[in-house]
Amino acid sequence: MATEKTAGRPIIGRRYRMPPPYGIGTAYTVTVDAIDQRRGLIAMHCDQGHEFRCARSQWHCIQPTPIDD
């Protein structure tokens, strides 16, 4: 049985496919910009130019898929 590869630990500079919020709409692509180990925050931006952050616990709940370039 094949399983889809999901991200365990975010890597700075890597692109990920994020599922749509609440399962509505289309998936989007983000690039990880920075990881704050002390605060547990991950900073990223999407292809449309919006910047945002999420907690490490949110990252694991979202389960983004790495994009192999």
Side-chain angles (χ1 to χ4, degrees), residues 5-69:
K5 181 171 62 171
T6 59
R9 176 182 291 179
I11 299 172
I12 295 173
R14 190 158 190 192
R15 294 172 48 134
Y16 295 89
R17 169 100 31 218
M18 300 288 262
Y22 307 108
I24 300 170
T26 60
Y28 55 100
T29 304
V30 299
T31 304
V32 174
D33 296 323
I35 301 169
D36 186 344
Q37 295 289 341
R38 188 171 53 90
R39 293 182 183 162
L41 293 175
I42 302 165
M44 62 195 93
H45 70 276
C46 65
D47 288 346
Q48 290 80 18
H50 301 286
E51 297 180 2
F52 54 98
R53 294 182 179 93
C54 74
R56 184 176 289 277
S57 60
Q58 290 174 319
W59 178 266
H60 292 294
C61 291
I62 295 169
Q63 297 181 343
T65 306
I67 299 174
D68 296 325
D69 288 339

